[in-house]
Amino acid sequence: MSRVRSVRIGPEDADQRLDRWFKRHYPQIGFGLLAKLLRTGQIRVDGARAKPSTRLEAGQELRIPPQIEGDAGAAAQAKSPAVSSVDAENLQARVLYRDDCLLAIDKPAGLAVQGGSGQKRHLDAMLGALAFDKAEPPRLVHRLDKDTSGVLLLARDAATARALTAAFKGKDVRKLYWAAVVGAPKAPAGRIDLPLAKLPAREGERMGVDRRHGQHAETLYCTIAESRGRAAWLALMPLTGRTHQLRAHLAAVGHPILGDGKYGGDKAHPDDLPDLPGRLLLHAREVALPHPEDGTTLRIAAPLAEHMLNAWTALGFDAAAGQGIWPDEEQ
């Protein structure tokens, strides 16, 4: 019969969220079961109750109840399906960069990064296909919206995951996005500084400007090209990492991203641009960061997805015109 176990947190797992620790060490345990065991005090950290978001520290004692290893039924229910050979081949073909500690992929639009309510097919469940020569799959260190394509970084070990997480928090990682928006901003370049907060939920998570209770959010932009005043191609650099920040900011200033009905409504699908694909035209174009091993600057870029290229052609944009353009951080 299974008994309570006590696990000491090692340095390699320090500063990791508790739910992510369980996802790594007990992938068969679903989030619902984990939350229940935490809520009832059956999982504890140094004898105290904890939450899924609790950050672990080296040397702490983690109480593992019998249900974790003994409840085979719950484990079988929560176990993620194996990645299909087709998905595995597609993901491996999307690798943009790989070395011993990190890799980057060109995430396709339409693929969620993590699971959620009613979301069974997601990248997190397919990461085993990207293990290559490692014993463990890579780890997520940031996210992209489901309908956003482009560069997504993955850590290949715990130490790199901690280093990349710290780099994102310390704003040492620069992210460049390309978007096609409705109309053209009056100023060709500028800064959007509007606090964002979650709006009352109706149809999924949604953010909006809230000057009283919102969190600080800043986005730099510059206009690369215009399409006769009907649309513009913007280079965007978020200085903060709020949920849906770019989509909410651009909608708030009257230039929603084309295809973004969630934030732009009918305005995001203009009648005078009928040849567009009707999908979100937002692409994570490039990431620049200090390499975790030697600190040298690593820059990784992703080509435009097919639906984006089709939109660029319809709008008369030359994709080569945007090479090397970043918004000015001094503006």
Side-chain angles (χ1 to χ4, degrees), residues 58 68 108 313 318:
I68 292 292
T313 298
D318 177 6

Side-chain angles (χ1 to χ4, degrees), residues 44-311:
R44 292 174 177 258
V45 178
D46 279 349
R49 290 177 181 264
K51 298 179 179 180
S53 60
T54 296
R55 291 274 175 184
L56 297 172
E57 298 178 9
Q60 287 182 321
E61 292 285 342
L62 185 58
R63 181 188 190 273
I64 308 294
Q67 292 93 322
I68 292 292
E69 297 183 69
D71 191 344
Q77 276 189 345
K79 188 174 182 179
S80 299
V83 59
S84 71
S85 59
V86 173
D87 281 337
E89 289 177 8
N90 287 340
L91 279 181
Q92 291 166 6
R94 287 182 166 274
V95 172
L96 299 167
Y97 175 87
R98 185 179 106 202
D99 62 25
D100 193 54
C101 62
L102 64 86
L103 62 82
I105 66 167
D106 180 6
K107 187 194 83 67
L111 178 63
V113 172
Q114 291 179 298
S117 178
Q119 188 67 59
K120 295 182 179 180
R121 186 175 183 274
H122 52 88
L123 176 64
D124 201 16
M126 305 177 186
L127 291 179
L130 297 173
F132 296 106
D133 54 331
K134 295 283 188 177
E136 296 182 357
R139 306 163 187 221
L140 297 168
V141 292
H142 69 122
R143 295 178 59 183
L144 291 177
D145 289 350
K146 177 181 176 181
D147 295 320
T148 302
S149 58
V151 183
L152 183 76
L153 293 176
L154 299 165
R156 304 192 71 198
D157 54 57
T160 302
R162 290 194 298 274
L164 291 179
T165 299
F168 275 101
K169 287 184 177 179
K171 300 182 180 179
D172 295 323
V173 179
R174 295 198 309 161
K175 294 180 288 182
L176 175 69
Y177 290 78
W178 282 355
V181 303
V182 177
K186 289 183 179 180
R191 178 187 302 259
I192 304 172
D193 186 354
L194 295 171
L196 298 174
K198 289 183 181 180
L199 298 175
R202 288 185 179 179
E203 297 180 1
E205 189 173 30
R206 196 165 179 272
M207 306 295 287
V209 175
D210 186 335
R211 298 182 184 278
R212 185 174 181 182
H213 303 293
Q215 291 183 298
H216 172 64
E218 281 187 83
T219 300
L220 298 181
Y221 74 89
C222 66
T223 304
I224 298 175
E226 293 185 28
S227 181
R228 297 186 295 278
R230 300 175 303 168
W233 169 11
L234 302 185
L236 304 161
M237 187 165 71
L239 301 183
T240 50
R242 308 304 175 204
T243 300
H244 296 175
Q245 177 175 317
L246 301 180
R247 298 167 65 183
H249 266 174
L250 290 166
V253 297
H255 299 287
I257 298 173
L258 285 163
D260 190 5
K262 182 170 187 173
Y263 282 91
D266 291 340
K267 188 176 181 180
H269 300 278
D271 293 334
D272 60 344
L273 294 172
D275 297 328
L276 297 182
R279 302 173 64 183
L280 181 70
L281 298 184
L282 178 62
H283 179 69
R285 165 62 182 175
E286 187 172 343
V287 171
L289 71 154
H291 195 282
E293 286 190 330
D294 58 19
T296 57
T297 299
L298 179 64
R299 297 183 67 161
I300 305 168
L304 283 175
E306 184 177 0
H307 74 283
M308 298 279 288
L309 279 172
N310 291 338

